[in-house]
Every structure is written in structure tokens, then in C-alpha cells.
Amino acid sequence: MCTPATGRGRVRLNVGGRVFETTAATLGAAGRDTMLGAMLDASWNAGRDAGVGDGAGPAEYFIDRDPACFAVLLDLLRTGGLHVPPGVPEAALHREALYYGLLDRVRAARLGEFDGDRLRLAASVPGRAPGDGTAVRAALDGGCCVAHGGTVRVYNWALEERRPLYYPGHAPVNDAAYLDAATLLVAARERPGRRDDGGVAAFSALTGEPRHRFRVAHDRQPRSFTAGALAFGAGCDVFASCKGRFNEYGVGVWDWNTGEQADFFYEPPGCALGDADRLQWLDATSTLMVATMFPRTDSSFISLLDFRDKSVVWSWSDAGTPASLEDKHAVHAVAMEDGRSVCMINQYDDLGFLDLRKNAAGVRWRSRSKLTISGKTKACGEETCYPKLAAHGGQLFASTGDTISVFSGPDRVLTSTLRCSNGGAICDFSIGGDRLFALHNEENVFDVWETPPPPII
């Protein structure tokens, strides 16, 4: 780009004593809602001295900030690529990017579009409470949270720890879910002899402060309950599996704007709902998948609920399976993104598929799946880490032992495996914000996997 040597085309910036010279077009690329973009606005320059940037020479500004970080950010505006020299700490760069209003641009330049076959290990973050990690959940902005007993530790996208969340009474946490980047919902277990210490509550993900308790009422009487799995609907619905003290089992529904209870789907005979450990909303059919899996119950149950007419429109269970298969139990399930099938996995790492378009259909089990090189590495001290599943971007992900396997294409062909941390078997993983987070059990460390941006050349 050629710019005249005089006039407002060129801008000189003295940042912390180091002089940079660039163009108004380069600074304008930052956007008018950023500090650098605002510098070009007429109102910003209304009080400038005459003769400075009026045609006699480049406009000049002094900014009392870190020049090394500014050089990285200016190069980002010029080239669109993020190149961080070894001597520039990432924390300092993120701080300076926040000051200039360029933090989102830095994040976008660092992460490529999520692709399970191109993931690379970006970081391994040690936990604070070895051995009791319950769940890891990804935030939409690339951060995450990790549940430990009655505590939920929250990390921003730069993997800096924020203030932790404590459920009232330090009730044990069963699940967590991000409503948005600033709001985190937590489901907790009610303990014997304690009143009103379980249920669902919303917290600020930024400060850790509680915002709202989601209450359940039966026959217009408020009831305490244990909340299991969480999910969000297409509108403003929050779903949670609920188990009350007086056999009030089912799935509760709340409006996330008001926090008020909107509905309750009571558990029908032969359909396990209150103990469900996975809920998933299916946009294609406007139904909620409810999965109650072994070992939480002796048999595994999967149902599709239609809240419009309070009906169970599809169901499956492995209760009463033949004796030759009775030692194999489905331990996790995920509805595929096309809404046509459910994938499940048993404790022996076999994958099975159910057709949601057919009632009473059998499971199409694959032959003994060789998902890992190391075999069945599940023992974690005195606990067992059962496999988990996730579907994202047309790919299927399965954790088995200390490895996550990636399956692609309509035939679910194994295309990649992820393994790195020495923290033992993976007890949970989550995908969101263009990242995959894997929580290990033994050392309570979580790994962060990212897709690198495409090469410029």
C-alpha cells in the first residue's frame, strides 16, 4: 500500500517511547469501537494543536503503554496474522489487547475453525483438587469451567482463573452449563438432612456471585430436589432432570429470562427421567432427549419427550437384553446433529447406533471398536472413567481411557486420535468456543485442544 508522505494518511504513534508509523487505513481496520479506530474520529481530534497532522506532517499521538505488545497488535492489523515473539508474555499481550479493544481480534487470529482432525494441544492446566473432578464445560467464548465437589472453577478464554463459584451450602455439583459467556447455570445434589441445598442456580461467570435459584413447585408447594443434567431449548427454556424427596421424579422446565418454573414432565412408568445424566435438545423435532445410563441405573433408558403434548414420542431401553449381552451396558449417548440417530457407547468402547425414525428399533453395534492404541485404560484410583461421547461439526468424538477418538463422514470412520496429558484417564470432555477441553481424573488436569489458523501462504 502506498500512502502520501504528508497529510492525514500517515499516523505516527509514540508508544512507551518507541515510535511507530502507520496509516489511517491500518488503524481504521481495528474498527470504530476500538481505541485505535476512535483516534481517527473528528471528535477525538477536536482539541488537537493546529499544525499537528494538518498537512505539515503525519498525525502524532503519545500512548503510555507497552511498545513490545503494541508491535504485535499493529502487525496483526497490517497482516491479519498473529505472530508473538518469544519475549512477549501472552498475559501481557492479552492485557494490552483488552486496553486497545482488540482482544476479540487476537482470539480470532489465534484460533482456526474447529476441525477434530487438525486439533493440536495448546495447554494443560493443573487442577486444585486432585481426583474429584466431576465435569468440564466449554464456554462459547473459548473459556471453560470445571466442577469439583461443591465448587466450580471458572477460566476465561486466556485460561486465567476467575473467582470460583460455590453452590449454596457447598452442595455437590452434578452438572454445569453456560447460558451465555457471562452466566453459568449449576445443578446440585440435595444431601440427606439438609434443606434446600440442592437444585439449580444461576451465577455470574465473571464474578462468581449468585444471581437466581430455580425453584420447583408441586401442587403449588415449593419442593427441594436434586438436579442432575442440564440443557437449553430453542426458545427460553432451561431443562433439568429432577429427583424430589417424595418421588417427584421428572424433568423441570424454567424460563431463563424470569427464572420462573414453566412446566414439569413427570416420570411415567417404565421411563427413567429423574435420574437422567444427559439431556439434549433436538431442534429438528423440537423434542428433548433424556438419557439415563448405566451405572446410574441397572439398565439404560433413552427417551424423546415432546413438551407440547406431554408425550414420550420415542424410547429405548436395554432392560431384558439376552444373557449373552447382559454384561454390556450403554454408558453414554449423544443425538447426532442430523436428528436422525443416537450414538451410544458401552463400557467396552463399542459404538452403537439407534434410528430415531423407528420405534422399538435395535442397536446397530459395531464389532469390538479399536478406538485406542493403549486399550482399555480406565482405572482411575478407586473409580472408573466410563467413555463419553460428543457430536460437533459433523464429527463424532469418543473418549476411551486417556484418548479421544475422532470419527468423520457418514460411515463414522476413525480419522484421528488425541492423547497427551499424563493425568490418567479422561473422565469428561466438552467442545465449544472452537476448543476441546478434556478433564483427566488422576491429577485433575484438563487439556485444551485448538485448531491452528490456516497458513497465510
Side-chain angles (χ1 to χ4, degrees):
M1 177 186 297
C2 296
T3 306
T6 60
R8 293 192 55 79
R10 276 169 50 188
V11 181
R12 182 177 292 131
L13 304 169
N14 185 330
V15 181
R18 180 177 167 185
V19 177
F20 299 84
E21 197 160 320
T22 185
T23 67
T26 297
L27 296 183
R32 297 193 63 177
D33 58 344
T34 67
M35 173 188 167
L36 297 177
M39 290 169 60
L40 306 176
D41 193 275
S43 60
W44 178 287
N45 296 282
R48 290 178 54 81
D49 296 334
V52 181
D54 57 1
E60 184 170 342
Y61 304 85
F62 177 77
I63 305 174
D64 191 16
R65 303 295 295 190
D66 186 326
C69 292
F70 183 80
V72 176
L73 299 174
L74 183 59
D75 184 65
L76 173 62
L77 294 177
R78 286 169 171 162
T79 67
L82 183 64
H83 307 283
V84 184
V88 177
E90 284 204 11
L93 178 64
H94 296 158
R95 179 196 64 213
E96 295 299 291
L98 180 63
Y99 174 80
Y100 292 110
L102 297 173
L103 192 57
D104 287 342
R105 187 178 288 258
V106 168
R107 178 186 176 275
R110 175 177 174 175
L111 299 178
E113 184 178 356
F114 188 89
D115 182 349
D117 290 326
R118 297 183 58 241
L119 291 174
R120 299 292 182 270
L121 183 68
S124 292
V125 182
R128 292 176 177 266
D132 69 347
T134 303
V136 61
R137 295 291 178 262
L140 293 176
D141 64 352
C144 74
C145 68
V146 180
H148 306 270
T151 304
V152 180
R153 301 196 178 275
V154 183
Y155 300 82
N156 63 17
W157 78 268
L159 304 180
E160 299 167 332
E161 188 173 357
R162 291 173 169 156
R163 290 184 59 185
L165 316 180
Y166 300 100
Y167 200 89
H170 291 268
V173 174
N174 286 328
D175 197 6
Y178 281 91
L179 180 60
D180 52 48
T183 308
L184 190 61
L185 267 58
V186 178
R189 184 174 77 244
E190 184 184 32
R191 292 167 293 184
R194 304 288 186 93
R195 284 187 173 272
D196 202 29
D197 70 339
V200 180
F203 295 82
S204 167
L206 306 179
T207 66
E209 296 298 323
R211 288 181 173 175
H212 185 76
R213 292 286 294 275
F214 292 81
R215 305 289 182 177
V216 163
H218 299 283
D219 298 326
R220 299 183 180 181
Q221 297 296 318
R223 302 288 191 186
S224 59
F225 66 101
T226 286
L230 294 168
F232 301 117
C236 300
D237 293 330
V238 174
F239 299 95
S241 56
C242 303
K243 186 167 64 173
R245 292 187 177 185
F246 302 98
N247 295 321
E248 301 124 341
Y249 285 25
V251 177
V253 191
W254 298 265
D255 185 304
W256 73 44
N257 290 316
T258 65
E260 298 300 319
Q261 181 179 346
D263 208 342
F264 196 92
F265 197 117
Y266 287 94
E267 180 176 291
C271 187
L273 301 181
D275 282 316
D277 45 9
R278 179 164 177 79
L279 304 180
Q280 183 180 350
W281 179 257
L282 307 186
D283 286 320
T285 56
S286 296
T287 56
L288 182 73
M289 186 191 81
V290 182
T292 307
M293 314 302 285
F294 179 86
R296 182 162 293 191
T297 55
D298 293 336
S299 299
S300 297
F301 300 85
I302 302 177
S303 305
L304 292 188
L305 309 184
D306 192 330
F307 281 79
R308 293 168 293 190
D309 59 2
K310 293 289 189 65
S311 63
V312 179
V313 298
W314 182 94
S315 63
W316 170 89
S317 173
D318 64 1
T321 54
S324 60
L325 298 175
E326 65 182 5
D327 64 329
K328 292 186 177 182
H329 296 280
V331 296
H332 204 246
V334 63
M336 304 307 293
E337 292 170 302
D338 60 9
R340 299 176 180 177
S341 62
V342 168
C343 178
M344 61 180 65
I345 191 168
N346 65 24
Q347 74 269 42
Y348 297 107
D349 306 340
D350 298 325
L351 293 177
F353 294 87
L354 283 165
D355 192 334
L356 292 176
R357 297 166 295 182
K358 300 177 182 178
N359 250 317
V363 182
R364 294 182 290 107
W365 288 104
R366 287 190 177 184
S367 59
R368 191 66 174 254
S369 304
K370 297 180 180 178
L371 303 184
T372 66
I373 297 174
S374 60
K376 298 180 296 176
T377 308
K378 300 192 186 74
C380 306
E382 298 180 353
E383 301 181 1
T384 297
C385 289
Y386 288 103
K388 296 288 181 72
L389 295 169
H392 188 88
Q395 295 177 309
L396 175 66
F397 299 78
S399 66
T400 54
D402 60 355
T403 300
I404 293 179
S405 302
V406 184
F407 300 86
S408 305
D411 295 328
R412 307 301 171 193
V413 177
L414 177 63
T415 53
S416 298
T417 56
L418 312 176
R419 181 193 294 115
C420 187
S421 180
N422 296 320
I426 296 170
C427 58
D428 196 22
F429 72 97
S430 181
I431 302 172
D434 289 324
R435 281 172 163 167
L436 184 150
F437 299 89
L439 178 64
H440 296 262
N441 185 279
E442 288 182 4
E443 300 299 329
N444 202 11
V445 60
F446 67 87
D447 291 338
V448 185
W449 295 81
E450 301 174 351
T451 302
I456 297 177
I457 300 177

